[in-house]
Amino acid sequence: MVSRLVLGCGAVGQRLVEKVALREGDLDVICGDSDRVETLRNESVRAQGADPTDPAVVEEIASAPDVVLIAGDDPEHNVRMAQLAEVAFPDAFRMAYAGVDATDAQRAKISEAVDSLVDPGGVMAEYVANLVASEAGTQSRRLRRTLRRVGGRLAIVTHDNPDPDAIASAVALSRLAASIGVESTLCYYGEISHQENRALVNLLDLDLRQLAPDEGVSEFDGVALVDHSRPGVNDQLPEDTEVDVVIDHHPPRAPVEAKFVDLRSDVGATSTLLTGYLNQFGLELDTTVATALLYGIRVDTADFSREVSAADFQAAATLLPHADAGILERVEMPSISQDTFNTIAQAIRHQVIEDDVLCSYVGDAVERDALAQAADKLLEMEGINATVVYGLSDGVVYLSARSRGTDLDLGETLRSAYDQIGSAGGHADMAGAQIPLGVIGEVEDDERLEDVIRNVVTDRFFDAVRERRVDRGSPFSAESGQFEFPFVSADSEEEMGDHDV
């Protein structure tokens, strides 16, 4: 629970205290105006009639508040209270009201001692109360504090082969870090091979650093993960890498350890979370950040048609006026590589269909992003409500899965099928898996490698599909190996999902 301390309480401060007092958490007010103290006590506010500029008094009443608000009318008193709070509560988020007719010199002194300075010309009690008391405001203050403590350079690491949501989130977090004087580098492992993702990076002239497989981030003073939550899982960092910041919208499968963690699976994109932080930090949206974030939200929610929340719509509405529609149009219409077309052709040629579910092995996967594009394309086939496309690359079998309008949770299905021989994850409508080739089994003299892979991967997938649908009471007949009637189509049930793993 958040604890808050208010030092000084003028006319504006009283309005703020009345707003903050309605929120959950502890609230203490130290004010030298006895009439104001009496008024606040009558409203059940824990107010102390004492000198808020006296360090001994303040430290006796308040121990370790999360938030300190300087709210007096006298600018000179606010200077002294701000400087006192800086020394007494260095770990707290400190916000100060400048006071009435504050001089530039007084504003400068207050600003040096606090995290945020509110000028009387534009102050609104509801806005400041929300910032001081709301859960979102608390998170933004903790993020600000964590970033500031990095002290030096921050490595912002996306998941392997980053998609638009990961790229945009990294760019936005870099802007947040820069706003408080922290230098950052955007890092990723793998390739940016999807043609739309490459177009996004090139057209927005984004500066991303590709890390070699054996390259760590020891040269940096801090590490942040965006759009994934654990080092060594969907990135190539050592598993024991100490992480400062994690911001992700995927539900974790194991405890997440970091100094600051924001995991919210009730939104459709990590870009939505970063849009909120930009607003809470009070930063203006520039075209580059707004365009990237808007595209990240659109891609991860399939243009607001799967696993979309009210927050995603609100974030998009905030970003749209600042985004470059021309760049977005060019990003969405890039040339498609021949390898991608070949992968889609292979997926069509080798499809195996059971009821409304399709599985296909494409052989060597030159571009891993092509697997996701093939899975999307095959989902357009009539009567198909779920697809899995997989291929072999660098000794690993990679799978990409998509679904629409079905009771089948792909994330859980892939975990059930492959967790014992690899790793899998994702959400109901978008998921992925990775299986080291060595665990699939040895190839006998009379067998072909692709036959062994196809038999193991495809069989495990369909076995998991049957098991999950039977568990849910679906009318699968073990005798016939088929379902008694077709499942709900995409026309009658809302399509929802999340990004590929």
Side-chain angles (χ1 to χ4, degrees), residues 24-91:
E24 292 185 359
D26 295 330
L27 173 64
D28 287 287
V29 179
I30 303 176
C31 177
D33 186 330
S34 58
D35 291 336
R36 191 86 66 187
V37 169
E38 186 66 24
T39 299
L40 293 175
R41 286 177 176 173
N42 290 337
E43 296 177 2
S44 300
V45 174
R46 198 161 58 197
Q48 303 288 335
D51 182 3
T53 65
D54 185 335
V57 170
V58 172
E59 292 182 23
E60 180 180 354
I61 295 174
S63 55
D66 296 306
V67 179
V68 178
L69 175 63
I70 314 301
D73 283 339
D74 186 335
E76 192 56 39
H77 280 184
N78 287 349
V79 169
R80 294 167 60 190
M81 289 185 290
Q83 293 172 340
L84 183 160
E86 181 184 24
V87 174
F89 311 114
D91 293 335

Side-chain angles (χ1 to χ4, degrees), residues 132-191:
V132 171
S134 70
E135 182 64 28
T138 301
Q139 283 288 79
S140 69
R141 294 189 294 275
R142 290 171 178 164
L143 175 58
R144 186 193 301 266
R145 184 188 307 165
T146 303
L147 290 173
R148 184 179 290 112
R149 288 178 175 175
V150 169
R153 284 201 305 153
L154 175 71
I156 302 176
V157 184
T158 71
H159 55 68
D160 285 355
N161 313 302
D163 62 2
D165 189 29
I167 294 169
S169 298
V171 171
L173 183 56
S174 178
R175 293 290 196 277
L176 294 173
S179 72
I180 55 176
V182 175
E183 181 184 353
S184 62
T185 301
L186 282 56
C187 305
Y188 70 96
Y189 291 95
E191 303 285 342

Side-chain angles (χ1 to χ4, degrees), residues 207-231:
D207 185 14
L208 280 72
R209 173 175 165 181
Q210 183 183 28
L211 299 174
D214 58 349
E215 184 178 2
V217 290
S218 58
E219 67 185 88
F220 295 92
D221 301 288
V223 177
L225 305 182
V226 292
D227 209 30
H228 70 303
S229 57
R230 289 191 293 153

Side-chain angles (χ1 to χ4, degrees), residues 432-462:
Q434 301 178 14
I435 307 169
L437 185 58
V439 304
I440 290 180
E442 296 183 1
V443 179
E444 301 295 338
D445 293 339
D446 59 345
E447 291 181 313
R448 294 190 308 164
L449 176 61
E450 67 177 61
D451 291 335
V452 174
I453 294 173
R454 184 180 291 112
N455 290 338
V456 172
V457 177
T458 300
D459 288 351
R460 276 181 171 268
F461 174 67
F462 280 123

Side-chain angles (χ1 to χ4, degrees), residues 196-471:
E196 292 183 6
N197 301 352
R198 290 198 302 266
L200 179 72
V201 172
N202 293 334
L203 290 172
L204 292 179
D205 193 24
L206 302 179
D207 185 14
L208 280 72
R209 173 175 165 181
Q210 183 183 28
L211 299 174
D214 58 349
E215 184 178 2
V217 290
S218 58
E219 67 185 88
F220 295 92
D221 301 288
V223 177
L225 305 182
V226 292
D227 209 30
H228 70 303
S229 57
R230 289 191 293 153
V233 178
N234 210 13
D235 66 29
Q236 298 176 49
L237 292 171
E239 292 184 5
D240 60 354
T241 299
E242 185 174 341
V243 178
D244 295 272
V245 174
V246 169
I247 304 177
D248 187 20
H249 76 117
H250 298 94
R253 299 189 55 219
V256 174
E257 296 183 3
K259 297 172 184 175
F260 173 88
V261 177
D262 186 358
L263 297 174
R264 282 180 270 170
S265 58
D266 58 345
V267 301
T270 304
S271 292
T272 296
L273 304 180
L274 268 300
T275 301
Y277 283 118
L278 288 169
N279 180 54
Q280 292 152 23
F281 272 50
L283 301 183
E284 292 186 8
L285 287 167
D286 63 68
T287 300
T288 297
V289 173
T291 303
L293 289 171
L294 181 58
Y295 189 60
I297 295 171
R298 288 179 54 185
V299 168
D300 258 34
T301 62
D303 271 333
F304 308 99
S305 66
R306 66 184 174 213
E307 293 199 1
V308 64
S309 69
D312 299 310
F313 285 111
Q314 292 167 358
T318 299
L319 298 166
L320 186 59
H322 306 277
D324 189 321
I327 287 181
L328 286 176
E329 184 176 353
R330 293 171 64 188
V331 167
E332 293 171 333
M333 299 180 64
S335 59
I336 300 177
S337 71
Q338 182 177 345
D339 288 331
T340 298
F341 275 120
N342 288 339
T343 298
I344 295 173
Q346 287 287 92
I348 295 172
R349 184 176 300 116
H350 298 294
Q351 60 185 285
V352 178
I353 298 175
E354 186 172 298
D355 194 64
D356 62 342
V357 180
L358 180 152
C359 188
S360 184
Y361 176 53
V362 300
D364 290 337
V366 178
E367 293 183 358
R368 285 173 51 190
D369 279 321
L371 298 175
Q373 294 181 72
D376 281 326
K377 182 58 66 175
L378 268 61
L379 194 59
E380 298 175 9
M381 292 175 58
E382 183 178 358
I384 298 299
N385 290 326
T387 61
V388 168
V389 177
Y390 62 98
L392 179 63
S393 177
D394 297 327
V396 178
V397 176
Y398 294 95
L399 297 89
S400 184
R402 298 288 188 271
S403 73
R404 62 177 181 183
T406 175
D407 65 339
L408 190 65
D409 185 321
L410 284 178
E412 291 300 323
T413 302
L414 264 60
R415 281 190 279 270
S416 175
Y418 306 119
D419 258 1
Q420 291 185 343
I421 60 173
S423 61
H427 285 263
D429 291 350
M430 297 183 77
Q434 301 178 14
I435 307 169
L437 185 58
V439 304
I440 290 180
E442 296 183 1
V443 179
E444 301 295 338
D445 293 339
D446 59 345
E447 291 181 313
R448 294 190 308 164
L449 176 61
E450 67 177 61
D451 291 335
V452 174
I453 294 173
R454 184 180 291 112
N455 290 338
V456 172
V457 177
T458 300
D459 288 351
R460 276 181 171 268
F461 174 67
F462 280 123
D463 285 346
V465 170
R466 298 185 196 108
E467 179 183 350
R468 294 195 64 78
R469 281 183 160 169
V470 168
D471 287 345

